[in-house]
Amino acid sequence: SSILHIAAVVVSGTSVVVYMYTWCLSSSIHISAVVVSMFSTIICGFLFLLVVKRLPEHVQVDDPAVVKRLAKKLERQQIPLRSDYGYKVSLFSHLHQYSRKAPLTQQLSIPSTVIHPSIVRLGLQYSQGIVAGSNARSVALLHAFKQVIRDYTTPPNEELSRDLVNKLKPYISFLNQCRPLSASMGNAIKYIKKEISNIPSQCKEEEAKTKLLTCIDRYIEEKIVLAAKAISKYAIEKISDGDVILVYGCSSLVNNILCEAFEKSRKFRVIVVDSRPRLEGREALRRLVQRGISCTYVLISALSYILPEVSKVFLGAHALLANGYVMSRVGTSQIALVARTFNVPVLVCCETYKFCEKVQTDSFVSNELDDPDDLMVTRKGKTQLENWQDVSSLGLLNLVYDVTPPDFVDLVITDLGMIPCTSVPVVLRVKNLDQ
Amino acid sequence: IKDKLVEYFRTQVRQDPEVPSAVAAIRTLLEFLKRDQTGETILGLRENLTQTIRRLEEADSSVAVSSGGELFLRFISLTSLEHPDLSQCKKVMVERGELFLKKISLSRSKVAKLCHTFIKDGAKILTHSSSRVVLKVLESAAADKKRFTVYVTESQPDSAGRQMADKLQNLNIPVTVVLDAAVGYIMEKVDLVIVGAEGVVESGGIINKIGTYQLAVCSKAHNKPFYVVAESFKFVRLYPLNQQDVPERFKYKADTLKAVEDLAEEHPMIDYTPPSLITLLFTDLGVLTPSAVSDELIKLYL
């Protein structure tokens, strides 16, 4: 894109020169009018290219030019490029598909000179699925960045506010290669970069570092911990005695709400819905049963069987998009759809730091493909799909996220209060005004 | 002193039957603010005001009283009350209270002005029970020389629809009273449905006299537009998910709440209409879609 900008400047410059020359030369007004209009359009076109901000590009793995650009960028930052694995279903061929058995750390030299060791550890934890879940990943990221800041020393003749941001860029690319960044992580990174660039230049290094560390601590405290408390307070108002609540997968926020409601002696029972291959519902089940909440466990295929018993559905979210769509674990939109058909209210719980400016109406354009080998299951010693790579017409698809339209969601509970799904852009606008 | 205020409230309502109950409540609160001598701090004053609102809610359990009171409290405390002298602060609050009262007294006519253009010549309108805002709208449409007929549902258990029919007849508007059960029957004949609201909730839905929900469902099934007319002081910070989720204190009349032990025997006086069934809301803030109500509430409260 920088080449394009240089080219734009050169062409617009030459066009201005030629225009002036022709204007001086031309005798008849008729010719000069044509020339003026022609050159002004060319100038405007190129200035427009200079001025207009390019939107962040979607992942486009099937476009070789984009892949080449990405490879060059990673080479510059000295980060290995992770190669895709296995046959990809054609609708999703624009997304990356990595294998868990080939983590990026195998291609790194140990000890790595470019990447801080806590970031390497974090990347490995992400790619192996040890740290999973939107909140957990953000908090782990922020703690790793705290360690990076503690170990950082400003090189001579450099300013902390600019150099530290440049140091963080390769780390972020590395983490992106290990596992695509989530919306909450993206917002956290934006916040940190803003805080770092706001450090005044006369600030001493120790002071600046402590300031940044307290900023990060405050961010975690406000946006995640206190937000969870505020959301529980609102959500408990919506839980009445005798309720049968359906939850899907393992959302830290929803589990928190249910445990708090149980502490406040609300009488309810929970139905945990789970799905392969992640089977995250088992973790949620374990946590709830430990507290003494009576639970039922079903797989998602039994959803329409169990739904007539349910009075409310509580769902967590990975991100809330600017057009009111809810991005969450795959299977969530199915639950919302069936619940709407049975007239069961669907409540989504989401902190405001997960609100993102993206707009999406389907689950194809931007998603994540997990390791296809996870879909293989061994029963009675036999794995049917063992040699799936050999069958040329067979593809395994392991999607991670899907997108739920706002008509299926009745209420969104955020730390700002209870809002309908269509009011997400208003909250984003209010937040931008605050900043 | 609290009983005197309730008396004041009741006399307000008796003297002027046209005044919205929320406006009467706000006048009472303003009186209380003027007369109150016991408050030492601003926080104490707010506490007293909140308690007065509670007492008024016990006298008249409609949603409008509670929403009007909360908005009044919010409006007067929105100023920077940093004067060291409490009486100064009180004066500022009273001034703002008078301003608020003046603004909302005009809201009904603002709504009527917006809405009557949606009534075309030869239209057949269906309305539910007795609403003074709808009456005002129909009055201004009639004054605009439009010809239309009105069907009013009888609206049991208090037959409020008949009173509405009498008032419309006095305005020389052709009106027919229909049974509550005849809503499905009459729906194919009407062109549009206009109802009032006792309260507008955060989701954009409304709380209104019982029978409104089935009216809305029928009009949706027949693809007839369902319009709601409400003043902005009726916006309330509730978010019901379904009929059961509406708090008990709004569902029944104030005397029933005090007298009866087992509310399961009583018949509720209001129901909740979800936003998906409402086409447009006419308020003094403008003509809003149900999803815009939440935006307005965020602007008012956040």
Side-chain angles (χ1 to χ4, degrees), chain A residues 46-78:
Chain A
F46 279 103
L47 285 178
F48 181 71
L49 255 176
L50 273 179
V51 163
V52 85
K53 207 155 174 257
R54 290 169 133 248
L55 290 166
E57 281 167 0
H58 283 300
V59 179
Q60 282 170 295
V61 176
D62 50 358
D63 185 353
V66 176
V67 175
K68 224 168 52 159
R69 245 186 285 151
L70 177 67
K72 259 200 245 170
K73 182 174 115 175
L74 290 177
E75 211 181 340
R76 220 178 30 224
Q77 293 175 334
Q78 296 173 299

Side-chain angles (χ1 to χ4, degrees), chain A residues 238 410-411 418 420 423 426, chain B residues 202 239 241-242 245 291 294-295:
Chain A
K238 287 288 164 206
D410 287 295
L411 171 62
M418 299 192 269
S423 288
V426 183
Chain B
E202 270 190 82
Y239 204 124
L241 295 170
N242 46 27
D245 221 7
S291 36
S294 168
D295 299 358

Side-chain angles (χ1 to χ4, degrees), chain B residues 235-302:
Chain B
F235 283 20
V236 67
R237 292 222 79 179
L238 275 179
Y239 204 124
L241 295 170
N242 46 27
Q243 306 297 339
Q244 274 179 336
D245 221 7
V246 180
E248 300 248 303
R249 62 182 200 272
F250 295 136
K251 279 195 196 166
Y252 311 97
K253 281 204 150 61
D255 358 359
T256 332
L257 281 169
K258 277 189 276 212
V260 175
E261 291 289 319
D262 185 12
L263 285 169
E265 300 281 310
E266 289 298 311
H267 203 279
M269 295 297 289
I270 56 158
D271 63 18
Y272 164 67
T273 308
S276 48
L277 302 171
I278 300 173
T279 323
L280 285 177
L281 283 121
F282 296 90
T283 69
D284 47 330
L285 300 168
V287 182
L288 306 171
T289 57
S291 36
V293 170
S294 168
D295 299 358
E296 292 296 324
L297 270 172
I298 291 178
K299 271 194 246 169
L300 279 173
Y301 276 101
L302 273 178

Side-chain angles (χ1 to χ4, degrees), chain B residues 58-74:
Chain B
E58 281 175 29
D60 178 355
S61 72
S62 64
V63 184
V65 168
S66 125
S67 69
E70 223 187 299
L71 272 167
F72 175 75
L73 210 58
R74 175 107 192 132

Side-chain angles (χ1 to χ4, degrees), chain A residues 381-400:
Chain A
K382 273 208 294 209
T383 316
Q384 300 284 33
L385 290 171
E386 204 160 6
N387 303 315
W388 69 274
Q389 306 248 33
D390 301 336
V391 184
S392 57
S393 53
L394 180 64
L396 294 185
L397 182 63
N398 190 359
L399 276 179
V400 182

